[in-house]
Amino acid sequence: MGDWTRLLPALSAADRRRVETEIAEANAQVRPLLGKTTTYFWASSVTRMPEWATIRSWPGELRRHAALAVHLEATASSRPSALNDVVRSLADGERDWTRADLLWSLDVAGRGWIYHDGAHLELPAMIAVCLAPADLADLAPALSALFDEIAEDYFMAAGPRRRVAMLIGAALDRATGRRVPSWLLHHGDEFGPLVRAGLGGVLAAPGVPELLAHCASLDKPAAPARWLRVLDERLTAATDGQEAVRAILEAFAAHQHSVHEDSDRLLRGLVWALSREPDEPATDLLARVTAAASAAPRQASGFPHAQRTAIAAVQLLAGRDGEVPVRTLARLAVTVKNKAVRSRVQSALARLGALRGWSVSEMMELAVDDHGLDSTGSRRAPVGPYEATVRVVDEKARLTFTRGGVGLKGVPAALKETHADELKQLRALVKGINATLTAERQRLEALLSEERTWAYPEWVSRFLDHPITGTYGRRLLWQTSTDGRDWSTGLPRADGDGWTLAGLDGRPACGERVRLWHPIRAAVDETLAWRERVLAAGLTQPFKQAFREVYLLTPAEERTESYSNRFAAHILRYRQANALMRARGWQAGYLGTWDGGYDSEATKLFGGGAWRASFHHQLVDTDDPHDYDVHHCATDRVRFARSDGATWQPAPVADVPPLVFTEAMRDVDLFVGVTSIATDPQWADRGEDRFRDYWHRTAVGALTPSAQVRRDALARLLPRMAIADRVTVADRYLHVRGNLRGYRIHLGSGNIMMEPNDAYLCIVPARGGTGRLHLPFEDDPMLSTILSKAIMLAADDTISDPTVLRQLTS
């Protein structure tokens, strides 16, 4: 237990003897009753057993003493602590509790067993809330410390913890005379104390504590009509009630951190209170609260800052008018990783689209926030004697300052003191732009699995002129057509005051409809030509497009019909694989050594939500029976399902649209290609290992489509490099001629074999080894790894790393 036990006033010896004498007498009567109901250990509560009805005839004093006896039973023995309801049944009603009863029960709780269902604190909490303030005055320090311990207890079950916290908090408030309930905005997180310190006067205004308590009582995302009627009454009765609601929500929107589950419950009720206001400022605040609640820490992207609040706020936001709800929900649809929140965002978007006559994809396009940037992706504002510029550069928003036309290296020191608020707003703008850029990149790549077309003017407006989307759209290949049958491909090119698509010959391609180019629709010669053009132009595409892998249905997949085994039976580094799945938008339950944790199914929507791909994988047990961590997983089948209203119908792989199939299989290939143990350059040094055969087989195996594209990229990049005369691209390998010996680098795994005896060479390359070499895409880390290894090995006589030198000379 915590320090609260040392803060308790001493219980006199006489009071202790009296209490213990009373409970000994009561124990003699209650124990036989408990003995008759032996099933209470594992079954339903004792209070539901027929034998328990006997206690209804007991006098109040006996029931009081019996409650104390059962409290001792719950805290001083190793019995299962299924006694909460027993204590509650005995203690409920009018009881003449004394200060001695409270001190004794707290002392017992502090020295006894601690259970996660709160059995050890059930009776002290019930007694404390019944005593007069005078009996509690000198107990305030101990109750305050106990309350803080309960609030910070993440092991106690949520229901019992909240009940005990509310009772102890109410007793503490009676002892101290606090207006705002202690169980609201407590010290269990940083948010509660922050709000209490900044809004103390607002929170204590007449009627506001009652309003907040009611808001925290909402148990479900949807508020019942009766709860809403009481809410309206509280808002009417509270002085500055709406001001308090908005102030707390504004503080949360600016907090940007996770909150305690109690704060989450309060915020959920507050967004319902805010929803009673129909004005645009309320909509704007609700949107910001929705975004803040749905956001998650970078290291735990599946755990939103306030999940209960997010789920409720999404539904409320979807019912508001204007573009703000659409823009906010569209951004969340591609950034939220939590499955529960994301599904509600998608449902809300679909509902909004149905009301406004838009598809989900079109809604997301129309809702892209331009953040006030001009057509060049810039926004300027005076800040004191300086001019601040927020500009999108290389897919990132950057903040710079100038004075008198002269650029400055950083933020002027004087502005940090004199214009702190403006700087805070500018930095928030940069953060918001970067969030939108990330969402847009993901959205545009997702369009590759859709059969979408746009009218030419709409395409120009949404994908070229837009200051955010245009950052990506102007570097992608597009196709245009007049009749919808013959399509011409080109890169966007500024032409006078407008835009045109320039083909391979430089001539403009004319058409009325536009679609995103995908290599699966193109002939091989055309794809190769566009790869060469992208390289020659020094163009870095936002994601692989010209060099994108293509996955066609194989005869084996046609025979299996309902699934693909193409990427089955691989061993992946699980933590890395799971993180990559989530980064690519796949939803998957985490594997673990618990019931149901040995298998997982990662899913992702394609084709604008009309198709779902499922990637099955299983936990691989370790050889150590005491190691419960999940280190590896084994891959299994990929299946597809078609949307059928609110359900999914399994579909044969032959029925899956080619764009959907190739994009789903590309992701799975990425998971295998990046996280397979075959790509670990240090695996060969592990000696005997049950995965050793798999590692050797895969490390030098046939190339997957992603590795084949890598080979083509290398064949085009290497002639531009200084080591061009020392490297040769073959079927599976990049051959490198060093000054000491020759080498073969496998184009799939990046593993190195030394000539002439094929001895394995382990090199863990440093990042950034390719120098200033232009790469046409940035989403293939293995390409950079192979290039950095080739550069090092071409000058192997300059290698100074002793671990590498030992291998070269052995």
Side-chain angles (χ1 to χ4, degrees):
M1 301 298 287
D3 292 338
W4 66 269
T5 55
R6 292 194 288 270
L7 300 175
L8 285 173
L11 179 65
S12 69
D15 283 340
R16 184 178 297 278
R17 283 194 302 271
R18 179 182 58 77
V19 172
E20 292 177 350
T21 299
E22 292 171 347
I23 67 171
E25 296 172 356
N27 192 50
Q29 297 191 50
V30 76
R31 185 168 294 281
L33 189 58
L34 293 178
K36 292 179 182 179
T37 57
T38 54
T39 54
Y40 84 90
F41 285 105
W42 314 115
S44 59
S45 170
V46 175
T47 60
R48 297 181 183 178
M49 302 295 178
E51 295 86 347
W52 192 250
T54 305
I55 67 126
R56 295 174 183 170
S57 61
W58 289 4
E61 278 298 288
L62 177 58
R63 293 179 67 172
R64 180 171 71 86
H65 300 158
L68 292 166
V70 175
H71 172 64
L72 181 63
E73 171 77 12
T75 58
S77 74
S78 59
R79 279 182 154 188
S81 54
L83 299 175
N84 301 56
D85 290 344
V86 176
V87 170
R88 199 175 304 147
S89 176
L90 291 167
D92 273 346
E94 294 292 332
R95 301 286 177 267
D96 295 327
W97 297 111
T98 67
R99 185 174 181 277
D101 293 337
L102 177 58
L103 284 173
W104 180 87
S105 62
L106 284 172
D107 180 63
V108 168
R111 292 185 289 105
W113 291 75
I114 300 174
Y115 293 111
H116 297 330
D117 69 348
H120 61 298
L121 293 174
E122 186 77 41
L123 185 62
M126 295 184 70
I127 297 174
V129 80
C130 294
L131 295 182
D135 292 328
L136 297 169
D138 62 337
L139 289 171
L143 292 176
S144 180
L146 172 59
F147 178 85
D148 289 344
E149 180 177 295
I150 296 169
E152 296 170 3
D153 189 340
Y154 290 94
F155 296 100
M156 191 185 299
R161 186 202 59 75
R162 186 165 183 269
R163 169 181 163 79
V164 170
M166 291 181 68
L167 292 173
I168 295 293
L172 180 60
D173 296 339
R174 297 181 68 185
T176 59
R178 291 176 184 166
R179 283 275 300 138
V180 183
S182 294
W183 55 271
L184 291 174
L185 300 168
H186 53 63
H187 288 76
D189 57 22
E190 296 178 356
F191 177 67
L194 181 70
V195 173
R196 282 183 176 267
L199 302 174
V202 175
L203 301 180
V208 171
E210 293 77 11
L211 170 63
L212 298 182
H214 180 69
C215 287
S217 70
L218 182 59
D219 291 323
K220 296 181 179 179
R226 181 178 179 182
W227 188 91
L228 288 173
R229 285 196 298 271
V230 176
L231 173 65
D232 291 336
E233 293 171 1
R234 295 282 190 271
L235 286 169
T236 301
T239 301
D240 301 326
Q242 278 295 350
E243 178 187 347
V245 169
R246 294 190 185 225
I248 297 172
L249 292 177
E250 285 282 4
F252 171 72
H255 186 55
Q256 300 297 318
H257 293 288
S258 298
V259 298
H260 192 279
E261 62 177 338
D262 291 345
S263 297
D264 194 2
R265 289 177 62 96
L266 171 62
L267 291 166
R268 177 172 60 186
L270 290 174
V271 297
W272 274 97
L274 179 66
S275 72
R276 313 305 273 177
E277 295 294 315
D279 56 18
E280 290 186 12
T283 300
D284 179 69
L285 176 55
L286 182 58
R288 288 186 283 119
V289 169
T290 306
S294 304
R298 181 175 299 178
Q299 67 275 18
S301 59
F303 298 89
H305 290 154
Q307 182 169 329
R308 292 181 178 88
T309 303
I311 289 172
V314 163
Q315 305 303 321
L316 292 170
L317 186 62
R320 311 286 287 197
D321 294 329
E323 293 187 3
V324 170
V326 180
R327 185 181 302 126
T328 302
L329 294 173
R331 182 185 301 167
L332 294 178
V334 293
T335 58
V336 170
K337 305 301 181 185
N338 179 270
K339 189 174 183 179
V341 178
R342 187 169 186 169
S343 65
R344 283 166 172 80
V345 170
Q346 291 168 342
S347 298
L349 273 175
R351 188 167 68 253
L352 266 176
L355 290 173
R356 304 189 185 192
W358 299 335
S359 68
V360 173
S361 292
E362 188 174 14
M363 288 178 61
M364 295 176 73
E365 287 168 10
L366 294 171
V368 180
D369 193 350
D370 62 13
H371 296 280
L373 302 177
D374 60 25
S375 58
T376 66
S378 302
R379 178 173 169 180
R380 295 175 175 81
V383 183
Y386 303 91
E387 183 179 65
T389 301
V390 176
R391 179 182 290 109
V392 177
V393 180
D394 296 332
E395 301 184 22
K396 287 289 184 182
R398 304 182 188 280
L399 173 62
T400 60
F401 289 87
T402 59
R403 183 170 186 175
V406 178
L408 305 177
K409 288 185 178 180
V411 180
L415 294 184
K416 296 179 182 180
E417 297 181 1
T418 59
H419 294 75
D421 290 340
E422 290 93 330
L423 283 178
K424 183 177 180 180
Q425 293 173 5
L426 287 168
R427 285 169 173 152
L429 174 63
V430 169
K431 185 175 181 180
I433 293 172
N434 285 330
T436 304
L437 284 166
T438 299
E440 274 300 272
R441 183 188 180 281
Q442 296 173 353
R443 185 183 71 82
L444 282 179
E445 188 172 14
L447 289 174
L448 288 167
S449 71
E450 294 187 45
E451 291 284 359
R452 288 282 310 279
T453 65
W454 297 266
Y456 201 95
E458 291 178 349
W459 168 70
V460 169
S461 172
R462 299 179 189 181
F463 294 95
L464 302 184
D465 286 340
H466 196 282
I468 299 292
T469 312
T471 301
Y472 305 117
R474 294 189 285 268
R475 292 180 285 139
L476 293 173
L477 291 167
W478 301 85
Q479 291 183 302
T480 185
S481 174
T482 300
D483 56 12
R485 294 189 301 272
D486 298 322
W487 294 85
S488 301
T489 307
L491 276 169
R493 181 179 69 191
D495 188 9
D497 295 333
W499 291 91
T500 188
L501 280 177
L504 285 168
D505 57 5
R507 290 186 295 182
C510 299
E512 297 175 357
R513 305 292 298 179
V514 180
R515 71 182 184 185
L516 193 57
W517 181 86
H518 195 293
I520 201 170
R521 297 192 184 109
V524 173
D525 290 345
E526 179 190 355
T527 299
L528 295 178
W530 278 114
R531 289 177 181 177
E532 190 63 34
R533 172 60 60 85
V534 167
L535 279 172
L539 185 67
T540 299
Q541 295 195 287
F543 45 80
K544 275 188 181 180
Q545 189 193 28
F547 286 85
R548 202 168 191 83
E549 305 85 354
V550 171
Y551 300 79
L552 302 175
L553 201 64
T554 65
E557 289 161 342
E558 292 176 344
R559 288 192 296 270
T560 58
E561 293 186 356
S562 61
Y563 60 86
S564 168
N565 259 343
R566 188 183 309 197
F567 297 107
H570 285 275
I571 306 299
L572 310 185
R573 299 185 295 274
Y574 179 63
R575 290 181 183 274
Q576 186 181 8
N578 182 264
L580 185 55
M581 289 177 201
R582 294 178 183 277
R584 294 292 301 170
W586 292 70
Q587 303 293 315
Y590 204 82
L591 294 175
T593 53
W594 50 76
D595 288 345
Y598 284 81
D599 298 276
S600 183
E601 178 186 29
T603 61
K604 181 179 177 179
L605 303 185
F606 291 90
W611 290 86
R612 185 182 71 181
S614 302
F615 173 41
H616 298 260
H617 51 288
Q618 299 90 31
L619 178 149
V620 175
D621 285 323
T622 65
D623 295 326
D624 184 355
H626 302 293
D627 185 357
Y628 297 103
D629 287 342
V630 182
H631 300 285
H632 302 100
C633 70
T635 63
D636 206 332
R637 299 171 177 177
V638 177
R639 297 180 182 271
F640 292 88
R642 181 191 288 110
S643 175
D644 183 15
T647 63
W648 292 96
Q649 298 299 326
V653 290
D655 292 349
V656 180
L659 287 176
V660 171
F661 184 83
T662 188
E663 287 302 301
M665 299 303 286
R666 179 183 183 273
D667 272 0
V668 178
D669 188 4
L670 180 67
F671 305 152
V672 173
V674 173
T675 69
S676 169
I677 63 172
T679 63
D680 185 348
Q682 298 176 319
W683 197 274
D685 296 332
R686 297 194 179 198
E688 292 299 323
D689 188 279
R690 58 180 169 147
F691 301 138
R692 188 174 179 83
D693 290 342
Y694 164 78
W695 185 89
H696 278 288
R697 183 174 65 253
T698 308
V700 295
L703 301 186
T704 64
S706 62
Q708 293 170 11
V709 169
R710 188 179 302 130
R711 179 181 59 199
D712 183 63
L714 284 167
R716 299 172 188 281
L717 287 168
L718 290 170
R720 296 171 165 83
M721 298 178 63
I723 62 170
D725 61 337
R726 289 182 169 267
V727 293
T728 305
V729 179
D731 181 35
R732 299 185 186 182
Y733 298 93
L734 174 63
H735 293 266
V736 181
R737 179 172 56 85
N739 293 314
L740 300 179
R741 57 197 309 178
Y743 311 89
R744 289 184 300 142
I745 306 176
H746 190 260
L747 299 177
S749 65
N751 291 307
I752 307 169
M753 301 297 175
M754 296 186 289
E755 298 173 352
N757 58 350
D758 282 348
Y760 177 73
L761 174 62
C762 177
I763 295 179
V764 181
R767 294 182 179 179
T770 59
R772 296 185 178 181
L773 177 66
H774 162 71
L775 299 179
F777 47 83
E778 297 179 353
D779 50 355
D780 184 2
M782 184 57 71
L783 176 62
S784 298
T785 296
I786 291 174
L787 283 172
S788 64
K789 288 181 177 181
I791 293 170
M792 174 185 290
L793 295 174
D796 54 1
D797 56 339
T798 65
I799 295 175
S800 58
D801 188 325
T803 60
V804 178
L805 287 175
R806 280 197 300 268
Q807 298 176 76
L808 292 177
T809 57
S810 61

